[in-house]
Structure formats: structure tokens, C-alpha cells
Amino acid sequence: MSDGYSPDATEEQKAVAQDLLDKIVDKNEKDTVIYSRYSETSDRYDMVMVVGNYNGPKETAAVVAEYFPRDRENVRLLDVAAGTGLCAVELRKYGFLKMDALDASPGMLEEAKAKGLYDQYIIDILGENTLDISTDTYDAVVMCGFSTEILQRLPMTAFEELIRIVKPGGYFINTGRKTMYTHDDGKAEQLKRQLKTLEANGKWKRVQMKHFKNYLKGADGAVSVHVIRK
């Protein structure tokens, strides 16, 4: 039976990958500790994602391209939880060029900056705070691989803030593990309730939920798409 890792990975690479993944998905740690761990391991992150068969960025970029079939070089995107820029790499293959990065981990953004993928590199968190970004700035917010542990405990205001910075008719496109939307534990229920409440309040409307195989280490993934209504 496959362990979900790349068949080309050595046992040493698998061990390094598992150690890093264990650190950044620790349910018992505060958000600030997890963000720090991303920075501490940023120089190994890309290797670990290759070893773990991480297909989230490819699936995300393909869906974003569906919603922007033309004039992609002028579409303005914010990549939230941009990390080392893996999603931007895939988005550029479809012709998206105007992208900003937002991440709470300085170390991860330094890795992305070295690749020259974004126009702006914004170090900030999602929470009760207001982002230093003007209203109606982006055509879409893209989020791929945001820590599930952190995402599931974000306050409603965090999602409202993302809605604020996207133009009416734009999109919020989020990719993660399928279980993020299907598990019945309390944290998943809170996330699903918040997403539905925002729809009930006319803030956005879900227009797609795409399930796919092999998100990370063989686990199923999902891409959700919400159109911004306000």
C-alpha cells in the first residue's frame, strides 16, 4: 500500500517531510507558534511538498483559469497563505502576472521573494485585524494550503475582511483537504457554519465545490469557489 509519498523519495526525505508536516499541523499549538515553524522550515518546504506529492497548487490554478478565461495578464490576484509561492508558479503558467502575496511567515515570503513571483509581499495575519489593503482591490483572493488548524478557528471577521478587498463579482477560491468541508468535528462545523452564514447574509455565494484526488500524501482535496456579492 502506498504511503502517499513520491515514489522517487528516499527514506531520509520521507522522514524529513513527516517531521516538518507534524510541526505545522500540531493541533495543540497557538497560531503564532505554527507561523514561526513555517519560517523555521521554509528552506525545506518546497522539497517536502515534492516528496509529499502536493497537487493543491496545480488544481487551484486550473480552477482560477476557468473563471478568468481571457485577459489574464490584467487580472489582479491576492495569494493568501502564499508561502514560498508554489501556487503563483502554477498561476503564471496560465498567464496570470499581477499577483500579491500575503503570509504571516516572513521566512516563507523570503523564499517566494527569491523567485520573483509577486508584486507585493505582505506580512500579516488573518484574524480580527484589518488588512492594510484598500477595498475592492482584487479580482480574486486565492488560498491554497492554508493551515487547516488555523483556518478552522478563524473568526468571521477574517472572511469578511477578505470579502472587503475583493471587487463585487470577484471570487474567493480556497483549496485544502476535502475533510475540511466534510468532517463532523467541532472545528469543521464552525468553519462550515461561517461560510454558510456569509452566504445567507448576501456577502457571497458558493458556485463550485470540486473534489480531486491526491491533494497531499494521497489525501483527497477540494477547491471551493465563492463569488463575491457584498
Side-chain angles (χ1 to χ4, degrees):
M1 181 180 294
S2 173
D3 56 10
Y5 289 112
S6 167
D8 298 324
T10 66
E11 291 304 313
E12 181 180 359
Q13 288 175 324
K14 292 179 184 180
V16 170
Q18 192 59 57
D19 179 64
L20 184 147
L21 292 171
D22 286 343
K23 288 180 178 178
I24 62 178
V25 299
D26 192 335
K27 298 179 180 180
N28 300 313
E29 288 292 359
K30 296 179 180 179
D31 295 357
T32 51
V33 173
I34 294 176
Y35 291 140
S36 294
R37 287 180 177 177
Y38 272 104
S39 279
E40 292 165 4
T41 58
S42 58
D43 61 333
R44 287 163 280 161
Y45 186 82
D46 285 3
M47 180 276 288
V48 167
M49 293 300 106
V50 171
V51 170
N53 282 325
Y54 183 41
N55 291 307
K58 290 182 180 180
E59 295 287 343
T60 303
V63 171
V64 175
E66 289 177 18
Y67 287 91
F68 296 98
R70 61 185 67 85
D71 199 29
R72 291 172 182 158
E73 66 275 12
N74 292 315
V75 173
R76 193 165 182 194
L77 304 175
L78 177 66
D79 187 357
V80 174
T84 62
L86 295 178
C87 200
V89 170
E90 299 300 327
L91 286 163
R92 281 183 171 272
K93 293 177 183 178
Y94 286 94
F96 295 102
L97 301 176
K98 294 184 176 181
M99 294 181 283
D100 295 337
L102 185 146
D103 201 287
S105 167
M108 295 289 273
L109 284 186
E110 282 300 316
E111 294 292 323
K113 190 178 292 186
K115 301 172 187 174
L117 297 168
Y118 301 99
D119 296 322
Q120 296 185 73
Y121 299 82
I122 305 165
I123 301 173
D124 210 339
I125 63 170
L126 291 181
E128 301 286 355
N129 55 302
T130 298
L131 297 172
D132 188 19
I133 299 172
S134 299
T135 299
D136 298 345
T137 293
Y138 297 102
D139 296 295
V141 161
V142 177
M143 197 157 70
C144 177
F146 193 105
S147 167
T148 303
E149 294 307 316
I150 296 175
L151 180 64
Q152 290 180 338
R153 55 182 180 243
L154 284 179
M156 180 79 76
T157 51
F159 295 103
E160 291 173 336
E161 185 63 2
L162 293 178
I163 290 170
R164 179 186 67 79
I165 63 177
V166 178
K167 301 171 185 176
Y171 300 96
F172 171 67
I173 300 172
N174 180 35
T175 303
R177 292 179 183 272
K178 181 182 175 182
T179 53
M180 180 169 60
Y181 299 102
T182 58
H183 266 194
D184 293 327
D185 61 77
K187 290 179 181 177
E189 284 302 313
Q190 175 180 314
L191 174 63
K192 289 187 287 186
R193 184 169 56 253
Q194 289 178 329
L195 300 181
K196 290 178 180 178
T197 297
L198 288 166
E199 183 161 352
N201 291 341
K203 297 294 186 180
W204 63 19
K205 179 178 176 59
R206 194 175 82 183
V207 293
Q208 185 177 1
M209 176 67 76
K210 177 187 177 183
H211 296 159
F212 62 93
K213 299 291 186 182
N214 300 319
Y215 166 68
L216 176 65
K217 284 188 62 183
D220 291 343
V223 185
S224 70
V225 182
H226 289 77
V227 62
I228 306 303
R229 298 297 193 202
K230 298 191 180 183

